[in-house]
Amino acid sequence: AQSVSQHNHHVILSEAASLELGCNYSYGGTVNLFWYVQYPGQHLQLLLKYFSGDPLVKGIKGFEAEFIKSKFSFNLRKPSVQWSDTAEYFCAVNGADTGRRALTFGSGTRLQVQP
Amino acid sequence: NAGVTQTPKFRVLKTGQSMTLLCAQDMNHEYMYWYRQDPGMGLRLIHYSVGEGTTAKGEVPDGYNVSRLKKQNFLLGLESAAPSQTSVYFCASTDWNTEAFFGQGTRLTVV
């Protein structure tokens, strides 16, 4: 079975501060990794994804994430946050070698950016 | 291109009532999923389908049933609603080597 841990449940930052959200997963095979964002009252939108290749992945809105296989981690980073980044962020994983393809989500990190 | 569409968007049920949530996708995806989202718990998989005519249980299937009679539609049914089923429900679809696309969600309250 696969699982995802997000260690930061609630993060409060000032505008222009740097962001790093932790994500660790547990799975015995090859994985696909994702970060989704959910703005208040909205559905989940993809920020970035890793399937294979360069472990440093760039996504939308200046976000990036690094896959470190030896640490089973896929941390999300942004060098300078904006008030509009206030949202909930979910790390997710699915097994690249299974037929089910269902995502397993972490419990989410609520990011609050203060002007 | 509508993507993934869920109906209804909001619903209030009384305990014991039944209802069906409809999910429709227009991307010809093989895989479809129903998740529920509760505060502090992320999204949990209820049921899923790997193709037309197939369904399978996810992480939290009790109290729910599903059907996938057509490739583009995935229905989630609650036969006898309970207050514990108050949640936000999301449908998603995907295919090999693509990300999952999510619907707008259905906010269900059971009183």
Side-chain angles (χ1 to χ4, degrees), chain A residues 33-52:
Chain A
L33 296 155
F34 307 83
W35 275 97
Y36 281 86
V37 61
Q38 186 178 33
Y39 299 103
Q42 297 191 23
H43 66 300
L44 278 79
Q45 303 172 44
L46 183 72
L47 270 182
L48 46 80
K49 62 186 178 185
Y50 173 81
F51 281 6
S52 64

Side-chain angles (χ1 to χ4, degrees), chain B residues 20-23 34 65-68 73-77:
Chain B
T20 300
L21 283 68
L22 171 63
C23 176
W34 278 105
N65 57 74
V66 288
S67 65
R68 184 128 180 245
N73 296 337
F74 194 32
L75 279 64
L76 177 70

